[in-house]
Amino acid sequence: MSDAQAGQIDTVMHEERLFPPPPEFAAAAHIGSLDAYQRLWDEAAADTEAFWEKLAREELHWFQPFDQVLDWNPPFAKWFVGGKTNVSYNCLDVHLDTPRQNKAAILWEGEPGDQRTLTYQELHREVCKFANVLKGLGVGQGDVVSIYMGMTPELAIACLACARIGAVHSVIFGGFSSEAIADRNNDASAKLQITADAGWRRGAELPLKETVDAALAKSPTVEKCVVLRRTGAEVNMVEGRDFWWDDLMDEASADCPAAELDSEAPLFILYTSGSTGKPKGIKHTTAGYNLYTKMTSRWVFDLKDEDIYWCTADVGWITGHSYILYGPLSNGATVVMYEGAPNWPDEGRFWEIVEKYRVTIFYTAPTAIRAFIKWGDEFVRRSDLSSLRLLGTVGEGINPEAWMWYHKTIGGERCPIVDTWWQTETGGIMMTPLPGAIPTKPGSCTKPLPGIVPAVVDETGQPVDEGHGGMLIITRPWPGMLRGIWGDDERYVQQYWSTVPGNYLCGDNARCDRDGYYWIMGRIDDVLNVSGHRLSTIEIESALVSHEHVAEAAAVGKPHELKGEAIAVFVTLRDVEPSDALRDELKQHVRKEIGALAQPDDVRFTGALPKTRSGKIMRRLLRDIASGKEEVGDTTTLEDYSVLASLREDEE
Ligand code: WT7
């Protein structure tokens, strides 16, 4: 380990495994060799605007062509200025007079086992009808529509219908509270609410409409509410405000030409809480976002017409927006959409779905993968997964041992894994191993996509030495980038563009190794400082997860008189009960794997880790617990309050 230098983070990880793309995969891939990738990346780096211009003209339908590629007034970007297009048109209408018109766009599976298929033509028809419903309710261009519903096809229809008429959707994940909905509705001045009577989750009904009723009592700008009948639950309908989806659709015309929208017309707002502060409404716009999600879907997932593509995210998150809806549909792909929980009726449900629909591309989150590992391989083995050809991960770093399990047990050692690094703010994937081109190293998101030029810098904005960790920045604008925080330009400038002026600060730390591979080291705020050495949480966690009895781990710092910070780790176990012997064994294990410096002072066993609703470990909360602070901060995004309670009990 090297000496700590100002602003640099030490790495303690020694991952040397390398997995080249399988030759048969590479031979058929859109980008099929390291050379091909490098050529494309170099071309994009040499003239970024020309690179995007060519793709924009070829890949999007333009009602009116743009006359300027980029208007960059840092940090405010306008892409494809002067052009007029429509995202819903690019996802639907473009496929209509082609052989794709009767191809399945969405293969939908409800949690109770019901299913629906929507072809491109059918989806187009439903979207046109619902767009007319929206118009009939007084929704026009620029109006914000708040959507709070489960993972039903109508969620996709609602989003695409907004896009069709130039309304701005704000999808709120179906697990949020009425307070959270009201906050978001008020911040965005939402005009219309869309919801469902209820949603299915682990066999129970989630009372969506009831939650919306409480939210609407505090959302003065929302005038009307459309309610989908999903479970048949009894709900309260307010005369003059609430309307049933099917009643409105019965009356609606299927004729609704797509509005000719400005390239920079807002497409959606998506609120992200991060782990601190008030939720921010990340703003994405029309043409740049559309192009970026379309191209990245094709490059990263190597999408072909015959693929059956399944991204398990919820449309309530950016992953669902970009890689269930807009990216894949722009490519005319067939998308699987599943309503419910991975462990209903039992822990084999995902694998049954893979077998049933013969899924070829499967994209999920590391937190889910660690849950599968904990549940045991027997649930996986029950199903035939031989249709799979490509796997992906998103949302946090994947611990190398979890990566290996995914590779062997799900991928049968034949499927490349794309570890995709990106953010709500970036709109689409920024770094990932292109599956036919870039050899993978477990735990690394490898290289930037064409047009993306990252750097790793210290606090003064100077590049750190090769192999050292620092702040990850993106040095050029890209079409999928956020265009701002809704109603808060100052926060946008301050948070993302002020630390290293003119460069996008993503808030993560990373290091770049000698092969030019990037390793994400966690959020800037999560760095541990032990005896003057700055260590990343993910490396310590990965060392713990490599122990046979550890399912999940979270590492945080707690104040220490001598070392500055001591390491406290929270661990969930598989197959065994907690014991003092195991506690010592885990400390020794980390010491052996990465060195004495990283040995935890505290090891705490817990039944589960507190996570945000999108599955990220709430390290800030754990830090407070580890240091014995009474205050636990804002826990409204906690998935399971009982976890906090049980950790607190352990402490006493
Ligand atoms: C943050 C963004 C990207 C869509 C879902 C999450 C972490 C995401 C990775 C990855 C390491 C990752 C980062 C990032 N993250 N993907 N492959 N490796 N970390 O979107 O909620 O906006 O979160 O998730 O910390 O900044 P988000």
Side-chain angles (χ1 to χ4, degrees), residues 318-319 394-397 419-424 508 523 616:
I318 189 69
T319 309
V394 59
E396 56 182 326
D419 172 352
T420 63
W421 176 82
W422 59 296
Q423 308 176 295
T424 304
D508 285 346
R523 303 292 296 168
K616 290 193 205 315

Side-chain angles (χ1 to χ4, degrees), residues 539-552:
E539 296 191 339
I540 298 163
E541 290 158 8
S542 291
L544 285 159
V545 172
S546 74
H547 188 280
E548 57 174 336
H549 294 311
V550 175
E552 277 200 300

Side-chain angles (χ1 to χ4, degrees), residues 90-92 94-95 98-101 103-105 120 294 297-298 303-307 325-335:
N90 286 313
C91 289
L92 302 171
V94 296
H95 307 306
T98 77
R100 285 184 185 134
Q101 62 183 344
K103 178 183 175 180
Y120 272 94
K294 181 175 186 185
S297 297
R298 187 185 305 160
L303 272 181
K304 310 266 172 54
D305 255 321
E306 54 276 23
D307 276 312
L325 300 183
Y326 296 119
L329 297 179
S330 295
N331 283 293
T334 295
V335 170

